[in-house]
Amino acid sequence: MKKALIVWGGWLGHQPQEVAGIFRDVLQEEGFEVEVSDTLESFADADKLKALDLIVPVWTMGQIEKQYVANVSAAVQSGVGLAGCHGGMCDAFRNNVDWQFMTGGNWVAHPGNDGVEHVINIKHSSSTLLAGIDDFTVKTEQYYLHVDPAVEVLATTRFPVVPGPHSLNGAVDMPVVWTKRWGVGRVFYCSLGHQADIVEMPQVKLIMRRGFRWSAEGKQLAADAEAAAAVGSKYTGMGDSN
C-alpha cells in the first residue's frame, strides 16, 4: 500500500484543515495509507519522509526550518512524489527559495482578488495527465505566479482579466497546472484551490486526484529503472570480461 503524508497549517483563510480533509478522502479512495499532520515537525524525520510515496503540503505562508525543507527535498529527489495546490504549496514559506525551486513556482499576485471569473484552458501536450478534461470556467482567485521555465505546463489561464499595473504588458497565458522533476521525484501543482469549495469542484478534484496518482507512481518507476540499469551494467561487465 502506498503511503502519503498531508501536512496542513499556515494562514487559515485558505481553509487548510478542510482542504487536507478532502485530499485525505481522495487518497484513501485511491488506496493510500494516509497520515494527516498539523505540524511542520512532520518534516523533521528524513528517513520517514524517504519511506513515503507522496508528500502533500497544505501550508500557506509561515516560516519553516531550513533543515525541514532539506529533508523534503532529499525525499523528493530520491523518488517520493510532491503534489499540492494554490497557496498551500506555491505560496508556502516565502522566505525559502529552496522550497520555491523544488515546487516550480511562487505566487506573487491575484489581480481582482477573490471572485474573478476566468477560464482554465487545458493544454494538449505530450502528457496525458489531463486527458478528457475540457476547458472550464471558475470564479475565484486568478493566480499570477513566477514560474520555473523547466516545468511542463498542462493548463493555463489568460491575463489580464481585470485591470492593473500588469495590463499594458498585453495578454499572458499563465500556467495553472504543471509538472516537473526534482531528482527522480515527480512534482505536481495546480494553482486552483483558494478554499475547500473550489477544491470540491469536479474538474479540480479530478485534476488533483490524477496529480496525486502520477506523483506517487514516480518512486516505483525510479526504483524499476535503477534495477534495470543495474542488471544491464552487470551483463555489460560480464561481456567485457570475456
Side-chain angles (χ1 to χ4, degrees):
M1 178 180 290
K2 288 186 173 66
K3 295 182 179 181
L5 171 66
I6 301 172
V7 179
W8 69 267
W11 184 59
L12 297 181
H14 278 162
Q15 299 181 329
Q17 185 173 13
E18 293 84 349
V19 171
I22 296 169
F23 289 166
R24 177 202 60 217
D25 292 346
V26 169
L27 287 166
Q28 288 178 340
E29 290 167 4
E30 292 295 320
F32 283 77
E33 176 185 325
V34 184
E35 177 184 349
V36 180
S37 169
D38 64 354
T39 173
L40 293 175
E41 291 179 5
S42 296
F43 294 149
D45 189 334
D47 290 334
K48 180 179 178 180
L49 294 178
K50 287 183 178 179
L52 298 169
D53 296 280
L54 179 66
I55 297 170
V56 181
V58 189
W59 198 292
T60 303
M61 295 185 281
Q63 304 286 325
I64 190 170
E65 298 285 340
K66 289 185 177 180
Q67 188 58 50
Y68 292 176
V69 175
N71 291 346
V72 174
S73 176
V76 177
Q77 289 179 59
S78 75
V80 179
L82 181 70
C85 76
H86 202 63
M89 182 160 138
C90 283
D91 189 22
F93 323 126
R94 294 178 183 175
N95 66 329
N96 193 291
V97 293
D98 293 330
W99 182 269
Q100 295 161 21
F101 193 9
M102 175 175 61
T103 58
N106 198 63
W107 170 86
V108 293
H110 41 60
N113 298 314
D114 196 11
V116 174
E117 186 169 287
H118 57 284
V119 177
I120 306 303
N121 300 114
I122 307 300
K123 291 196 68 175
H124 300 287
S125 66
S126 60
S127 173
T128 59
L129 198 51
L130 302 190
I133 300 176
D134 296 325
D135 295 352
F136 61 98
T137 300
V138 295
K139 193 171 184 179
T140 184
E141 290 181 342
Q142 187 183 31
Y143 257 22
Y144 202 104
L145 302 117
H146 287 172
V147 180
D148 182 347
V151 304
E152 180 172 4
V153 178
L154 306 184
T156 61
T157 186
R158 176 63 61 92
F159 277 89
V161 174
V162 297
H166 62 301
S167 298
L168 290 180
N169 293 310
V172 174
D173 289 322
M174 177 60 56
V176 172
V177 180
W178 69 66
T179 61
K180 69 171 288 185
R181 306 304 173 102
W182 192 248
V184 296
R186 293 178 167 189
V187 178
F188 176 88
Y189 176 71
C190 173
S191 70
L192 296 169
H194 177 56
Q195 291 190 327
D197 62 331
I198 299 300
V199 178
E200 285 278 21
M201 288 180 62
Q203 300 96 326
V204 178
K205 202 170 186 179
L206 178 58
I207 286 171
M208 294 309 303
R209 182 185 298 273
R210 290 187 182 180
F212 292 150
R213 284 199 307 244
W214 178 84
S215 300
E217 289 168 354
K219 185 175 185 179
Q220 187 59 55
L221 291 174
D224 292 345
E226 183 178 358
V231 170
S233 176
K234 175 183 177 182
Y235 282 105
T236 300
M238 289 174 62
D240 290 344
S241 66
N242 289 334

